[in-house]
Amino acid sequence: MERRDFWREVTALSGSVTPFILKRVVVFGLYGAFVWWVANYTHVQTGLGVAPYEIIGAILALVLVLRTNSGYDRWYEGRKLWGGIVNQSRNLGVIGSAYGPDDAAWQNRFLRWTAVFPHLARHTLRGETDFSDIDDLMTAEEIEQLERADHAPLYCSLQVARMLQSARQSEAMDGFAFMRADDQRAQLIDHIGACERILATPLAKVMSIKVRHFIFLYLAVLPLAIVDKSGMLTPFLTMLVAFPLLSLDQIGIELENPFSVRRLSHLPLGDISDKIQRNVMAIENAGDPLLDEEAGDSVVSMQSGRRNFGADGAGTAQQLASTGR
């Protein structure tokens, strides 16, 4: 994992929620300046105590942390599900290559459909319909079929299932390998289904609305409570309090959908899909080291046998020649 410099991250704006909340922070700061101007011009004392706001602020911060944790749980669950897609795709490719039919065309087609699944899952979760990035895996006809499919990952899983079934019916794959491969295929569908559950079940809107009501009311009344003692520092202190509260609120929103590229710190599904494709397609070109080693041992044994036979043959000829004399 990358370890970044402290000061580099302090000044970083890319990947931060600061640009999203800066206008809101400034608005509350201007409101605090207005409250200070009115209090200074009219010489009115609000008489509000700061102590109650400390208690209310602690409660509000706790609510925001709970909301942020809920968003992070969704983000982390999405990452674990995609970790499962990585594992199941690799397992499915290995099983098909090692225990499937000894047919190069079948092997290539099976690995291609296995490798394309994560790409299709990524497009589905992001609502994308352009499949041009998989033209190195699929033919034009196959891409057209995927574009017509109601659910592209499910159509891909169906193709893999049909290939496994044909291999089993032709007795090119034993029953145990078939069950293991089909189990890995089914888990891929389970993972994409769980990701779709996260996507289709956002955080409760009633909670989001109420939390933002609390934030607004707290920041709206805060300048009234501190203006007597803070004076001209009221707008700056208001902005100082508004910044972390609005940041936590926005972070919870950003983590709500871990798959969308429009959200900060979204999951790198493109990189994960490309990695799966490289790993799975590399299986096709991977030789069997055990068979290569056995073949090498056989060649060495044959060469040794020939040398031994040549030496024994020469000794026998010499013995026959001596006997003839």
Side-chain angles (χ1 to χ4, degrees):
M1 298 180 64
E2 182 182 4
R3 299 179 60 184
R4 303 185 64 183
D5 181 71
F6 174 79
W7 297 111
R8 182 180 172 187
E9 290 196 341
V10 166
T11 58
L13 290 178
S14 177
S16 170
V17 298
T18 300
F20 295 91
I21 66 169
L22 190 58
K23 292 182 179 179
R24 305 172 206 168
V25 173
V26 172
V27 168
F28 282 107
L30 293 176
Y31 169 73
F34 173 76
V35 171
W36 168 76
W37 180 82
V38 172
N40 186 61
Y41 181 77
T42 60
H43 303 287
V44 173
Q45 298 289 326
T46 61
L48 297 178
V50 179
Y53 277 84
E54 295 177 353
I55 300 175
I56 298 173
I59 297 175
L60 180 58
L62 179 61
V63 172
L64 287 172
V65 168
L66 291 175
R67 179 182 179 181
T68 305
N69 286 341
S70 299
Y72 182 76
D73 288 341
R74 296 165 61 86
W75 185 91
Y76 187 63
E77 183 182 1
R79 184 60 188 90
K80 289 192 296 183
L81 291 171
W82 269 84
I85 292 177
V86 172
N87 295 337
Q88 266 68 66
S89 298
R90 290 170 176 170
N91 289 337
L92 187 58
V94 169
I95 294 173
S97 179
Y99 303 107
D102 190 13
D103 180 3
W106 188 95
Q107 295 271 342
N108 176 264
R109 186 167 182 265
F110 183 83
L111 292 177
R112 286 192 298 107
W113 279 106
T114 301
V116 81
F117 182 89
H119 291 289
L120 300 176
R122 167 171 54 89
H123 287 310
T124 299
L125 293 174
R126 291 178 173 175
E128 300 169 345
T129 57
D130 183 13
F131 294 160
S132 60
D133 60 331
I134 61 173
D135 55 359
D136 57 334
L137 284 174
M138 299 282 103
T139 64
E141 181 181 356
E142 290 169 339
I143 292 178
E144 184 179 356
Q145 294 172 352
L146 288 170
E147 290 176 345
R148 291 200 306 263
D150 181 67
H151 192 273
L154 185 61
Y155 180 84
C156 174
S157 178
L158 177 62
Q159 299 306 309
V160 173
R162 286 175 175 173
M163 295 183 67
L164 292 173
Q165 181 66 11
S166 64
R168 178 65 187 128
Q169 289 178 346
S170 63
E171 297 185 354
M173 175 181 287
D174 64 75
F176 179 77
F178 169 79
M179 289 188 296
R180 289 294 298 165
D182 196 63
D183 178 64
Q184 300 299 314
R185 180 200 59 80
Q187 289 189 50
L188 287 175
I189 294 299
D190 292 341
H191 292 324
I192 184 63
C195 290
E196 290 173 342
R197 171 179 52 80
I198 295 176
L199 188 63
T201 313
L203 294 175
K205 192 172 183 179
V206 62
M207 180 178 180
S208 176
I209 293 175
K210 192 55 61 179
V211 167
R212 289 189 165 181
H213 283 170
F214 290 158
I215 294 176
F216 175 79
L217 291 176
Y218 182 81
L219 294 178
V221 183
L222 178 62
L224 300 177
I226 66 176
V227 67
D228 291 344
K229 294 184 178 180
S230 301
M232 62 182 302
L233 294 178
T234 298
F236 301 102
L237 294 177
T238 302
M239 295 173 66
L240 185 63
V241 175
F243 182 77
L245 294 180
L246 295 175
S247 295
L248 289 174
D249 173 69
Q250 187 64 34
I251 289 173
I253 296 297
E254 296 299 323
L255 294 176
E256 186 176 0
N257 183 357
F259 311 116
S260 174
V261 294
R262 294 187 295 271
R263 299 298 179 90
L264 296 176
S265 296
H266 60 270
L267 294 176
L269 303 186
D271 295 338
I272 297 175
S273 301
D274 291 339
K275 180 176 66 174
I276 295 174
Q277 176 182 338
R278 289 195 306 270
N279 295 159
V280 172
M281 296 310 297
I283 298 174
E284 184 179 18
N285 300 323
D288 192 337
L290 295 176
L291 294 178
D292 294 341
E293 183 179 353
E294 291 176 359
D297 293 342
S298 300
V299 172
V300 172
S301 299
M302 291 175 63
Q303 292 176 349
S304 300
R306 289 172 182 172
R307 288 195 298 268
N308 294 335
F309 177 78
D312 295 341
T316 303
Q318 291 178 358
Q319 292 176 1
L320 291 174
S322 300
T323 303
R325 292 192 189 96

